[in-house]
Amino acid sequence: MGRLDGKVCLITGGARGQGAAEAARFVEEGATVYITDFRVEAGEETAKATGAVFLEHDVTDAERWAAVVEQIVGQAGRLDVLVNNAGIFRKVPLIETTVELWDRIISVNQTGVFLGMHAAAGPMIEQGSGSIVNISSVAGLQGTGAFAYGATKWAVRGMTKCAAVDLGPHGIRVNSIHPGIIVTDMIAGLPLEEAAQTVPLKKNGTPEDVAELALWLASDESRYTSGAEITVDGGLTA
């Protein structure tokens, strides 16, 4: 018996990295999984490899969010889990951050999460249950040289707690995951071997490490956990 048997899950940014790892684990545990991404070819390849269903999706587009959720509920009859995984990273300090870069990062990392929670809340409220997992970062727990990115991850942390309060009476749990140094394409080019030495466990994380925590939060095993911020960082923020 799978830990997510009967659950219908939506994972954004699912074409690669953490989203793809989450999709694979969720399918393994019995879920019906929809992955969304703007990368069509990569998304279709990941869907084929994992057994998920791929939908093209720009998370900054409110109308597309409504259409995606409507399609999932129309096909599967419900929506039990939303993982707001889509995000972009730019390591740019404050004085080098342009308004254009600020607006772009905010639109994906912060507004995208808001739109996702807003769209998923309707069917979850109607069915009286649901789990929303927002992927933040250790950059949402401490200062970072990536100014706009850090700002959005602090925002996701706060939005998660507010949503947990708003949606809790409807049986919906909302939690945030705060990954540390996770080796994905998003941070390609950074000095990862050197970075690993700053981690108490002396190693960087993998997308699968994040997927295991997301799986627990998506499952009924975490049925009394809401409004939490949980790190998966090898002790980096300890």
Side-chain angles (χ1 to χ4, degrees):
M1 182 176 180
R3 296 161 69 188
L4 297 181
D5 280 352
K7 292 191 183 296
V8 178
C9 307
L10 166 58
I11 301 171
T12 67
R16 63 184 188 181
Q18 292 174 187
E22 290 154 5
R25 283 298 286 126
F26 284 24
V27 171
E28 286 174 0
E29 292 294 342
T32 298
V33 177
Y34 291 81
I35 59 172
T36 75
D37 209 297
F38 70 91
R39 303 176 184 88
V40 176
E41 184 176 351
E44 290 176 343
E45 290 176 356
T46 297
K48 183 177 180 180
T50 61
V53 178
F54 173 71
L55 300 175
E56 185 177 359
H57 182 199
D58 175 356
V59 296
T60 69
D61 185 337
E63 292 184 0
R64 185 59 185 148
W65 262 112
V68 164
V69 170
E70 182 179 5
Q71 181 174 346
I72 292 171
V73 174
Q75 291 177 350
R78 59 189 297 114
L79 177 58
D80 298 289
V81 178
L82 166 64
V83 181
N84 274 313
N85 173 77
I88 56 177
F89 172 78
R90 300 289 185 275
K91 187 173 175 59
V92 180
L94 168 62
I95 59 173
E96 296 175 19
T97 299
T98 64
V99 172
E100 291 75 19
L101 178 61
W102 170 266
D103 287 344
R104 177 58 180 162
I105 294 178
I106 292 288
S107 68
V108 176
N109 293 4
Q110 182 175 343
T111 304
V113 171
F114 157 68
L115 292 174
M117 292 194 292
H118 192 273
M124 289 183 176
I125 289 171
E126 186 173 345
Q127 66 201 27
S129 64
S131 175
I132 297 175
V133 181
N134 294 326
I135 306 298
S136 181
S137 168
V138 293
L141 300 172
Q142 60 187 19
T144 171
F147 181 78
Y149 176 80
T152 63
K153 294 306 183 178
W154 278 87
V156 168
R157 178 186 180 192
M159 291 194 297
T160 296
K161 292 184 180 296
C162 292
V165 172
D166 286 348
L167 300 177
H170 301 285
I172 302 166
R173 299 180 295 107
V174 190
N175 295 284
S176 60
I177 293 177
H178 297 257
I181 305 168
I182 307 298
V183 180
T184 66
D185 291 341
M186 191 169 75
I187 61 170
L190 296 182
L192 296 178
E193 291 186 11
E194 179 181 332
Q197 298 311 304
T198 68
V199 179
L201 288 182
K202 299 303 178 185
K203 61 181 179 179
N204 296 322
T206 68
E208 289 72 24
D209 294 324
V210 180
E212 291 298 334
L213 179 53
L215 171 62
W216 181 73
L217 288 172
S219 77
D220 293 338
E221 296 165 13
S222 59
R223 58 189 173 273
Y224 200 57
T225 300
S226 192
E229 52 192 45
I230 307 176
T231 59
V232 51
D233 68 355
L236 183 63
T237 54

